[in-house]
Amino acid sequence: DRSSTSMQCQELLVQGLSLAMIFGGVLHFICLMKSHAAYGRYVDTSGSSMMVPARLAWFLQELPALLVPLLLMLITDGNDGIGRHLMLWTFCLHYFQRSCIYSLLTKGRPYPLNIMLLGMVFCSINGFLQAHYLLHCATYHNTWFSDACLLAGMGINIHSDHILRSLRKPGEISYKIPRGGLFEYVSGANFFGEIVEWLGYAVATWSLPTFAFAFFTICFIGPRAYHHHRFYKEKFKDFPRSRKSLIPFIF
Ligand code: NDX
């Protein structure tokens, strides 16, 4: 195929983007422990930002993380390396689920346009970083343990998002106490699943870009789980006292 390219690993670019993501993660963690990412229950209701329906917002925000890797696969020569393709297909599967299935089913409240646009930029850069790394730079260390973490995390995340969805009738936007699955142990069961998934992915590829993304995920949704937990404790008198924020039995 003449239109294909055999690109070299752009090591400096990969390292630069990964370090920027780690730095961004640290900044987010510091800001988000004090304040909130202003979407969902923390949305700014002052009317200062334009709002987009949740379904459209999640679709558009997450789509670049599916399209950019697919495009890079399409223009890349050769199909050598089962491991790298399997990991990249798993990454694409996650973002197919998030952009095409989760978005279709969500009953979330309208989403701020500015966060959606920033989210699209983030997903485009991360999609490029992960796909370029996996296609052109990676060597593999994946074991049954990392693969099991990845799949278990994805399962927990999808199941927990399903539990949250089923708390609402169509058109409802109120909050209830989530019950069942890992929600019996933590308020952020969907976030716990997502973190286990990306940690499994990072261990399987044992590299800076994949750990950078797992680290960013922890910094972004870890504080969100903490704030959700506080929200439930303040709002519901009958909130189960043994439940933790993010890590069962620990935190
Ligand atoms: N999206 C990841 N910084 C983020 C968007 C914002 O996928 O520019 C990171 C992602 C982005 C962020 C993204 C990256 C950094 C950005 C940031 C914006 C600014 C920042 C770009 C891309 C930035 C600079 C400038 C430095 C570059 O009404 P509602 O919506 O609250 O309803 C909720 C409902 N629900 C309930 N319903 C009834 N009763 C209850 N008790 C309920 N509790 C919740 O369930 C929602 O409809 C739904 C889920 O809500 P919630 O709050 O539990 O999860 P949510 O945060 O909405 O995440 C949804 C899923 C979840 O599986 C999570 O794991 C995953 O997406 N996620 C989310 C965020 C980031 C991420 C994954 C990741 O980093 N891997």
Side-chain angles (χ1 to χ4, degrees):
D1 179 356
R2 282 163 184 275
S3 63
S4 296
T5 54
S6 59
M7 199 190 262
Q8 299 244 311
C9 173
Q10 305 291 321
E11 262 176 61
L12 268 180
L13 183 63
V14 166
Q15 281 176 18
L17 289 176
S18 305
L19 292 176
M21 196 179 287
I22 292 172
F23 184 64
V26 173
L27 284 184
H28 274 86
F29 186 80
I30 294 170
C31 296
L32 294 177
M33 281 314 280
K34 292 195 207 131
S35 170
H36 312 109
Y39 69 93
R41 70 195 67 181
Y42 314 112
V43 77
D44 177 7
T45 48
S46 67
S48 57
S49 169
M50 266 181 73
M51 304 301 280
V52 183
R55 291 183 177 182
L56 183 64
W58 278 94
F59 173 71
L60 292 178
Q61 176 180 271
E62 309 287 317
L63 193 63
L66 171 66
L67 291 187
V68 172
L70 286 181
L71 191 73
L72 286 195
M73 274 198 270
L74 212 67
I75 61 166
T76 294
D77 250 351
N79 281 317
D80 56 321
I82 281 260
R84 68 184 61 195
H85 278 90
L86 216 60
M87 268 307 140
L88 195 49
W89 279 114
T90 313
F91 183 86
C92 290
L93 180 70
H94 174 95
Y95 280 101
F96 173 75
Q97 196 285 131
R98 180 73 70 224
S99 62
C100 300
I101 301 177
Y102 175 86
S103 69
L104 211 74
L105 299 174
T106 181
K107 295 177 187 158
R109 58 187 62 213
Y111 199 89
L113 177 69
N114 54 357
I115 296 193
M116 184 197 93
L117 293 175
L118 287 170
M120 284 177 77
V121 172
F122 177 89
C123 287
S124 307
I125 295 173
N126 189 43
F128 169 78
L129 174 63
Q130 304 301 324
H132 176 78
Y133 177 79
L134 290 176
L135 286 169
H136 302 292
C137 317
T139 51
Y140 281 89
H141 303 261
N142 56 325
T143 59
W144 67 266
F145 178 72
S146 55
D147 293 351
C149 280
L150 207 168
L151 292 176
M154 193 186 279
I156 293 169
N157 177 257
I158 292 175
H159 180 236
S160 308
D161 278 336
H162 164 77
I163 291 179
L164 289 177
R165 241 181 350 256
S166 46
L167 292 172
R168 287 180 177 166
K169 298 192 188 81
E172 222 179 4
I173 52 164
S174 61
Y175 295 95
K176 295 169 192 157
I177 301 178
R179 300 201 189 263
L182 273 190
F183 282 111
E184 294 303 320
Y185 303 94
V186 287
S187 297
N190 52 342
F191 301 138
F192 174 77
E194 180 106 15
I195 288 171
V196 169
E197 179 181 351
W198 295 123
L199 278 178
Y201 165 78
V203 171
T205 44
W206 204 261
S207 65
L208 187 61
T210 57
F211 270 102
F213 179 42
F215 179 76
F216 182 88
T217 298
I218 294 170
C219 292
F220 188 77
I221 59 183
R224 197 163 171 80
Y226 170 74
H227 289 300
H228 280 18
H229 188 63
R230 283 184 48 176
F231 168 93
Y232 290 129
K233 286 205 296 192
E234 279 164 24
K235 188 172 166 68
F236 301 107
K237 299 238 159 11
D238 57 339
F239 188 70
R241 299 192 62 161
S242 60
R243 203 176 284 189
K244 301 283 185 193
S245 301
L246 182 64
I247 307 168
F249 311 111
I250 297 171
F251 170 73

